[in-house]
Amino acid sequence: MIILINMELHWKNSFIITPDKNMQYPNLLRRSIFVIPPDESKKDQGTGTYLLYAPLTGYVMKTDAEYPARLENVIENNQGDEDLFTHLNYLSDTSLYGKHIYRIQHPDEYLRLSILPNYSCNFSCSYCFSAQGRSNKELSMEQLKTTLDYFVDEKRIKEKRLFINFLGGGEPTLSWKLLKFGIEYSHSLAKKQGIHLITEIVTNGSILNEEMLQTFITYQVQFRVSFEILEEIQRKQRGQYNKVCKTIDRLSEAGLYIEIRAMITPLNVELMVKMVQELIRRFPGVNCYMFDPVTDKHTFHDIEKTKMFYKRYLELFFDALDLAQQKGKQLKCAPLRNLNSIVKRYCFGELCLTPEGTFTICHRISSPQDTHYHNCIYGEVNKAGRLTFDYDKYQQLINTDTTDDYPECNACFVKWNCGGGCMVQNREYDKSVRNIICDFTRTFSKELILRKLGVNNTCNIE
């Protein structure tokens, strides 16, 4: 078990967390109040500064080593001055944060629908998670219509705001007839019922013609373009650099929302600042970027190289983040998003329609060729044209891969933020790689907390 209560963080030198077997603050821990010790290797932050972090109340403060022990004694012996009792009650009062641990427990509760139109792609990306599932299989028009009739239905939802995301599988724009129907039909359903519908497309950005562009403008489709930004990296990892640039330019000129998503791999991890500089120079109309570490078991089979990759990502992401913020741009990644979440599971699962006409809990596991496909399917559009769910299986899926399933999460100060980690990573990676990712997540989160504190001694995390 990895105990985080009394440990030293030495990522600057070795990127290994050394746990202390003695939990010094078990009573604070039971209240989800975590003590984060100083990182002695980062002298500029001040040796001896501890953090007291209460994620369920959204509260964090700088403190010394003695103060957590005094709070522990208040709980253990019911002794202490009035200020200590008041502070402890404040740390324990979850109503202050105004956030609740929300978990979807039924497919009907989803407000976001993911649709994979096909398994086909015109790229051969070096790290593609769905490459082994390539085929000519395409979702049928009837299956898509049945699903949209179910999803865009005012009787199913409590609030009139829905999201539909077309993504891969393969490249969604290769199934243009199907994609166009899905966009137009879903919006017609929404308009009749007074539902605000946002349509998104995740695309490699290589396919765009005038008919497509006019459709996207009409329905104000939002775009997530997978793109490596730097020409030499795009050509090595994805290809068709000029075509993607042209697509981004045309979408931007049309005033459509664009987020550029670059996978950070060992090939470009040293180049993140340069990538932000190039985005600002080449695509000034794009204001949102996403730099996530790649998930690929083939890339991360060498433990030492994996440690170095995450170490360099952690060191250099914040340089890129600072530059983006200085220029009024938003740079995102999953660990940054997680710190503003309170969850018991990394994600809410998905209502995701595959080209097979089945529903998977995760779009990354969508083909019968995927190892865990049959374990992740919980529904289908059947031959009679009806949408059916296996509710028992859904319950089983949505209630696994939580912090309760991993003993090492018990004393981890980011357990309520990361929710036990990504289901796919937990299945794809062996224990040694998962440990590296956990170390990275903790160190990244601590850096974010320190940044939020800034020169202050206390703050609310939001």
Side-chain angles (χ1 to χ4, degrees):
M1 179 184 291
I2 298 176
I3 304 301
L4 292 219
I5 292 300
N6 188 23
M7 69 180 183
E8 302 284 335
L9 296 178
H10 297 291
W11 67 268
K12 198 78 172 181
N13 298 320
S14 62
F15 202 59
I16 296 176
I17 288 182
T18 304
D20 189 319
K21 295 182 180 178
N22 298 310
M23 291 189 298
Q24 294 186 353
Y25 314 102
N27 293 301
L28 290 177
L29 180 61
R30 279 192 285 272
R31 297 186 180 207
S32 289
I33 302 171
F34 300 92
V35 179
I36 309 173
D39 180 354
E40 298 296 342
S41 68
K42 301 184 78 173
K43 300 297 184 183
D44 58 310
Q45 290 179 2
T47 301
T49 299
Y50 283 68
L51 296 177
L52 198 62
Y53 178 44
L56 297 185
T57 65
Y59 184 85
V60 64
M61 69 173 288
K62 292 179 182 178
T63 183
D64 55 28
E66 288 74 29
Y67 194 70
R70 293 170 64 193
L71 289 176
E72 182 75 10
N73 186 58
V74 169
I75 303 172
E76 181 71 26
N77 300 308
N78 198 32
Q79 293 180 353
D81 61 38
E82 184 177 350
D83 287 344
L84 283 172
F85 276 101
T86 299
H87 191 210
L88 181 63
N89 289 334
Y90 185 85
L91 288 168
S92 306
D93 185 2
T94 57
S95 67
L96 294 171
Y97 200 21
K99 281 192 175 183
H100 304 282
I101 304 165
Y102 177 65
R103 295 172 69 181
I104 290 176
Q105 292 294 334
H106 192 287
D108 285 350
E109 296 178 25
Y110 283 107
L111 301 179
R112 178 181 293 273
L113 170 66
S114 298
I115 299 171
L116 312 180
N118 60 53
Y119 295 124
S120 302
C121 193
N122 56 336
F123 277 26
S124 297
C125 302
S126 60
Y127 48 75
C128 181
F129 65 84
S130 62
Q132 67 184 11
R134 291 281 171 265
S135 76
N136 293 324
K137 181 73 174 180
E138 187 178 69
L139 182 67
S140 77
M141 198 76 75
E142 292 76 16
Q143 290 168 327
L144 177 56
K145 181 179 182 299
T146 297
T147 302
L148 293 175
D149 284 335
Y150 158 78
F151 182 72
V152 188
D153 183 355
E154 62 183 346
K155 295 189 292 295
R156 185 186 64 84
I157 57 178
K158 294 180 180 178
E159 55 182 280
K160 292 196 171 187
R161 183 178 177 87
L162 295 174
F163 301 83
I164 296 178
N165 188 20
F166 294 90
L167 69 164
E171 166 54 37
T173 57
L174 287 172
S175 298
W176 172 240
K177 183 178 179 181
L178 193 66
L179 180 58
K180 183 181 182 184
F181 169 79
I183 294 170
E184 292 178 341
Y185 185 65
S186 60
H187 277 272
S188 69
L189 290 174
K191 185 176 181 180
K192 290 175 183 176
Q193 301 173 77
I195 295 171
H196 180 62
L197 176 63
I198 295 176
T199 308
E200 306 166 330
I201 298 177
V202 178
T203 174
N204 62 32
S206 64
I207 302 172
L208 182 67
N209 58 36
E210 191 60 31
E211 180 189 4
M212 292 178 175
L213 183 60
Q214 291 308 312
T215 301
F216 299 151
I217 293 171
T218 298
Y219 296 100
Q220 286 296 292
V221 175
Q222 299 184 0
F223 282 85
R224 273 72 177 164
V225 181
S226 299
F227 181 50
E228 312 297 32
I229 302 159
L230 302 177
E231 183 172 359
E232 65 270 27
I233 304 299
Q234 176 76 7
R235 295 196 185 282
K236 288 179 180 178
Q237 294 190 162
R238 301 181 64 83
Q240 302 194 37
Y241 172 81
N242 291 328
K243 281 188 177 181
V244 180
C245 286
K246 185 176 179 180
T247 294
I248 295 172
D249 287 339
R250 294 180 71 189
L251 295 174
S252 182
E253 290 165 3
L256 296 173
Y257 175 88
I258 307 167
E259 176 182 289
I260 292 182
R261 294 182 168 187
M263 274 297 143
I264 304 304
T265 71
L267 199 60
N268 63 4
V269 68
E270 304 284 341
L271 303 173
M272 286 190 280
V273 170
K274 186 177 180 181
M275 291 163 66
V276 172
Q277 292 171 336
E278 179 65 6
L279 282 167
I280 293 168
R281 183 196 71 81
R282 180 63 183 78
F283 305 105
V286 177
N287 296 314
C288 188
Y289 322 139
M290 185 89 170
F291 289 4
D292 262 344
V294 66
T295 298
D296 179 20
K297 64 181 178 181
H298 302 296
T299 298
F300 299 124
H301 60 274
D302 183 294
I303 295 303
E304 291 306 314
K305 289 182 179 179
T306 302
K307 289 180 183 177
M308 182 54 64
F309 169 80
Y310 278 98
K311 177 178 183 292
R312 295 301 288 158
Y313 178 94
L314 194 149
E315 292 172 337
L316 296 171
F317 177 86
F318 287 103
D319 292 337
L321 178 65
D322 289 340
L323 175 59
Q325 290 178 340
Q326 289 168 13
K327 300 298 184 178
K329 308 295 184 179
Q330 183 181 16
L331 177 59
K332 302 189 294 184
C333 70
L336 193 153
R337 174 204 67 198
N338 289 349
L339 195 65
N340 291 320
S341 304
I342 298 295
V343 295
K344 285 204 70 165
R345 191 179 191 273
Y346 179 82
C347 75
F348 293 147
E350 292 183 76
L351 180 67
C352 180
L353 179 65
T354 78
E356 306 289 334
T358 57
F359 289 91
T360 176
I361 198 74
C362 177
H363 72 271
R364 295 177 66 95
I365 304 175
S366 61
S367 165
Q369 303 303 314
D370 293 331
T371 303
H372 302 285
Y373 172 79
H374 294 289
N375 292 330
C376 291
I377 297 301
Y378 64 88
E380 66 175 347
V381 182
N382 63 27
K383 293 180 179 179
R386 289 196 296 270
L387 192 151
T388 63
F389 294 119
D390 183 336
Y391 295 111
D392 291 337
K393 189 171 183 181
Y394 178 82
Q395 284 290 318
Q396 176 189 352
L397 286 166
I398 204 65
N399 288 299
T400 55
D401 285 287
T402 72
T403 54
D404 295 335
D405 296 312
Y406 301 103
E408 58 267 34
C409 293
N410 180 49
C412 178
F413 71 89
V414 290
K415 63 178 284 187
W416 291 109
N417 305 121
C418 93
C422 170
M423 179 186 80
V424 173
Q425 290 186 345
N426 291 340
R427 283 163 168 71
E428 290 284 315
Y429 292 150
D430 63 29
K431 182 67 173 175
S432 59
V433 175
R434 296 201 305 273
N435 285 343
I436 292 170
I437 294 173
C438 286
D439 290 347
F440 158 76
T441 302
R442 285 187 285 265
T443 311
F444 190 100
S445 299
K446 182 181 177 183
E447 178 67 23
L448 283 175
I449 291 171
L450 287 167
R451 281 169 166 254
K452 288 177 180 291
L453 276 167
V455 298
N456 301 312
N457 288 322
T458 64
C459 80
N460 189 288
I461 284 298
E462 286 198 310

